[in-house]
């Protein structure tokens, strides 16, 4: 089978933005990641092991080309010394292992964070494409095309009938690399959205596609960035503030959308004081009820005497076009909103998508965790640490 990943740019922008901070501020840190499938696929993922191993061998031979490095230098928030580092970079095969345990596919990444952090999106995209390649057919592709065109028609109707009535414009981006049906399908989706909806479609998280298509790469930070600070020598209660401060010092006004649900929205807002609320452009939702989350964010800005209309809420949790439009109608009278849509764009083919993740579970030999606002998204290999984290941030167990 030919390689499924052809470029080290074929990943999400936030991998580069987080990696730059790691390289500059805690380059000696080590991390460990574990793979998990949250649903029951029709075919056991263990059948993919041999092909996955071969794809990882190919992946670890890739280097950045001079053209790719030149593109990264055009992004104003990417620093020149980081691009110099990437010129020497390639993923090390010894840091990732694949096995079958208790009938499940087990993938573990363990090594320097500057290496381990960069595997995730590639691995998830490879697993997805290997799995769905077995289910691919002309009928599946035809259904995918039908569904994509139906989404575009819905967005066109909104643009033609409602957009002018809204206080703020509808902004949608592709966030679907990790869950895509295939590499070529994601490219088709992004090209089609960009052509049909240039006033609505604002870009993609996929850096390779952004480069090739001349559109905006979208992204800031992921949960792993915050989680790492649980083990970087700061008091546990202060890890969110330390992560936010680290980001501010690195980017100084760029990339100003903060992720909120590493220990839940309430605990995040307790740390997101006037200093951070003024420095960051807005917040990203990735778990829990989006309406409750958005109302809490607006109330928090108002409590700090900040006009919500000057800030942005970015929604990215399992969105469809319809749910994005409903959220836009609800919130756009008060605050700017944008939407990152993943699986619903890049893997809506009439087949059940895989719910797979590859999450940071330890850093520098210490456990780390995410206390999601959606209980099913909580992931930690150390129940004692998880209980302690709940206690420190006063997060109750979900009923």
């Amino acid at each position: 089978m030919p390689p499924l990943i052809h470029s080290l740019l074929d990943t999400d922008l936030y991998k580069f933005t987080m990696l730059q901070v790691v390289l500059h501020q805690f380059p000696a840190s080590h991390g460990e990641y574990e793979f998990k499938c949250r649903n029951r696929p029709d075919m056991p993922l263990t059948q993919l092991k041999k092909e996955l191993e071969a794809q990882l061998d190919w992946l670890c031979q890739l280097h950045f080309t001079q053209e790719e490095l030149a593109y990264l230098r055009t992004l104003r928030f990417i620093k020149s010394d980081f691009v110099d580092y990437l010129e020497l970079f390639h993923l090390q095969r010894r840091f990732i292992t694949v096995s079958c345990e208790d009938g499940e596919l087990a993938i573990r990444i363990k090594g320097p964070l500057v290496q381990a952090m960069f595997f995730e999106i590639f691995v998830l995209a490879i697993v997805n494409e290997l799995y769905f390649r077995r289910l691919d057919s002309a009928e599946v592709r035809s259904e995918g095309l039908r569904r994509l065109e139906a989404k575009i028609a819905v967005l066109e109707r909104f643009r033609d009938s409602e957009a002018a009535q809204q206080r703020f414009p509808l902004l949608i981006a592709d966030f679907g690399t990790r869950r895509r049906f295939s590499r070529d399908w994601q490219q088709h989706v992004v090209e089609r959205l960009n052509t049909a909806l240039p006033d609505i479609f604002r870009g993609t998280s996929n850096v390779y596609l952004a480069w090739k298509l001349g559109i905006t790469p979208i992204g800031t930070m992921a949960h792993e960035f915050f989680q790492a600070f649980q083990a970087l020598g700061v008091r546990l209660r202060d890890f969110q503030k330390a992560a936010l401060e680290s980001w501010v010092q690195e980017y100084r006004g760029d990339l100003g959308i903060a992720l909120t649900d590493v220990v839940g929205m309430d605990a995040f807002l307790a740390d997101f004081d006037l200093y951070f609320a003024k420095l960051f452009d807005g917040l990203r939702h990735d778990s829990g009820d989006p309406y409750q989350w958005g109302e809490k964010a607006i109330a928090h800005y108002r409590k700090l005497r900040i006009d919500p209309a000057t800030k942005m809420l970015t929604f990215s949790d399992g969105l469809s076009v319809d749910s994005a439009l409903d959220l836009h109608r609800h919130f756009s009278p008060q605050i700017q909103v944008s939407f990152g849509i993943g699986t619903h764009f890049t893997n809506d083919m009439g087949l059940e998508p895989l719910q797979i993740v590859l999450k940071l579970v330890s850093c520098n030999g210490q456990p780390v965790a995410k206390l999601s606002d959606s209980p099913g998204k909580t992931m930690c290999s150390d129940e004692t640490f998880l209980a302690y984290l709940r206690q420190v941030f006063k997060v109750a167990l979900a009923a």
Side-chain angles (χ1 to χ4, degrees):
M1 178 181 292
L4 299 179
I5 304 295
H6 293 249
S7 167
L8 290 178
L9 288 185
D10 188 14
T11 189
D12 286 339
L13 178 66
Y14 65 29
K15 286 296 168 179
F16 291 96
T17 58
M18 292 187 297
L19 198 65
Q20 180 170 274
V21 182
V22 171
L23 183 68
H24 286 159
Q25 300 185 26
F26 42 100
S29 294
H30 279 239
E32 184 171 357
Y33 291 73
E34 291 184 358
F35 174 85
K36 181 179 181 180
C37 182
R38 292 170 172 160
N39 63 342
R40 287 189 168 273
D42 294 332
M43 180 197 76
L45 298 185
T46 53
Q47 294 183 20
L48 307 179
K49 179 180 181 300
K50 183 178 179 180
E51 292 171 292
L52 175 57
E53 296 263 25
Q55 290 295 328
L56 292 175
D57 292 342
W58 281 106
L59 175 67
C60 292
Q61 294 179 38
L62 289 176
H63 291 77
F64 289 98
T65 68
Q66 288 302 312
E67 293 79 12
E68 291 169 343
L69 295 168
Y71 169 70
L72 290 173
R73 291 186 193 278
T74 68
L75 305 178
R76 71 179 189 182
F77 46 81
I78 298 295
K79 296 180 170 60
S80 62
D81 69 315
F82 179 53
V83 182
D84 293 339
Y85 165 76
L86 292 178
E87 187 170 6
L88 306 173
F89 180 89
H90 69 97
L91 288 164
Q92 301 288 335
R93 184 67 172 82
R94 68 182 183 275
F95 295 135
I96 183 167
T97 59
V98 182
S99 60
C100 298
E101 300 176 7
D102 300 322
E104 302 288 339
L105 183 67
I107 305 171
R108 289 188 177 86
I109 304 164
K110 189 173 184 179
L113 211 52
V114 290
Q115 278 275 325
M117 180 176 281
F118 209 59
F119 273 102
E120 178 200 4
I121 306 300
F122 299 121
V123 174
L124 295 177
I126 289 169
V127 171
N128 263 291
E129 188 156 357
L130 289 175
Y131 176 82
F132 285 105
R133 198 169 260 210
R134 288 161 164 74
L135 305 175
D136 201 352
S137 68
E139 291 77 13
V140 168
R141 295 276 176 154
S142 177
E143 177 64 13
L145 288 170
R146 185 192 68 79
R147 293 181 180 216
L148 175 61
E149 293 304 315
K151 296 180 184 75
I152 291 172
V154 169
L155 291 168
E156 286 175 333
R157 285 196 296 273
F158 175 88
R159 178 192 62 195
D160 297 340
S161 62
E162 293 187 53
Q165 305 167 26
Q166 303 295 324
R167 182 178 182 185
F168 295 111
L170 175 66
L171 302 172
I172 289 178
D174 156 53
F175 276 17
T177 303
R178 70 180 60 210
R179 302 276 175 82
R180 67 191 182 191
F181 181 77
S182 68
R183 182 170 56 92
D184 69 298
W185 179 253
Q186 183 184 20
Q187 179 164 340
H188 171 75
V189 169
V190 172
E191 288 178 331
R192 184 74 184 95
L193 291 168
N194 189 50
T195 300
L197 302 162
D199 47 347
I200 291 175
F201 187 67
R202 63 190 294 250
T204 175
S205 63
N206 187 290
V207 182
Y208 179 83
L209 291 177
W211 172 43
K212 284 300 181 183
L213 302 178
I215 58 181
T216 304
I218 305 289
T220 55
M221 64 189 74
H223 300 96
E224 63 196 299
F225 181 76
F226 280 89
Q227 287 175 255
F229 280 84
Q230 296 171 4
L232 287 179
V234 300
R235 194 172 67 125
L236 184 60
R237 180 61 188 82
D238 296 330
F239 87 86
Q240 293 189 114
K241 291 181 180 179
L244 291 168
E245 183 65 33
S246 171
W247 197 265
V248 166
Q249 293 305 317
E250 183 72 26
Y251 292 111
R252 308 191 69 81
D254 269 321
L255 305 173
I257 301 295
L259 184 61
T260 65
D261 69 329
V262 179
V263 285
M265 181 61 161
D266 293 337
F268 176 84
L269 292 179
D271 288 341
F272 196 67
D273 59 13
L274 182 62
Y275 171 75
F276 291 123
K278 284 190 171 183
L279 289 175
F280 280 86
D281 299 319
L283 305 172
R284 177 161 78 91
H285 170 266
D286 199 51
S287 65
D289 184 291
Y291 293 93
Q292 292 180 10
W293 177 89
E295 294 297 344
K296 285 181 180 180
I298 291 170
H300 187 70
Y301 281 127
R302 286 179 173 152
K303 179 182 176 182
L304 297 175
R305 298 184 181 179
I306 294 174
D307 181 0
T310 64
K311 300 296 180 178
M312 176 172 284
L313 301 182
T314 297
F315 296 86
S316 62
D317 180 29
L319 294 175
S320 66
V321 166
D322 288 338
S323 63
L325 290 177
D326 288 343
L327 286 164
H328 185 269
R329 293 181 184 108
H330 181 86
F331 286 111
S332 65
Q334 305 174 74
I335 193 167
Q336 300 172 64
V337 286
S338 62
F339 304 92
I341 299 180
T343 308
H344 190 64
F345 274 159
T346 62
N347 204 343
D348 185 16
M349 316 292 286
L351 303 170
E352 182 183 5
L354 293 179
Q355 298 295 325
I356 54 175
V357 294
L358 194 53
K359 293 296 185 183
L360 183 68
V361 295
S362 74
C363 182
N364 292 342
Q366 300 180 45
V368 299
K370 178 179 76 165
L371 293 175
S372 172
D373 284 319
S374 296
K377 288 189 171 184
T378 296
M379 190 169 175
C380 181
S381 58
D382 189 314
E383 290 298 325
T384 301
F385 176 74
L386 194 60
Y388 179 52
L389 190 63
R390 291 185 189 279
Q391 181 182 3
V392 168
F393 285 93
K394 297 179 173 58
V395 178
L397 280 169

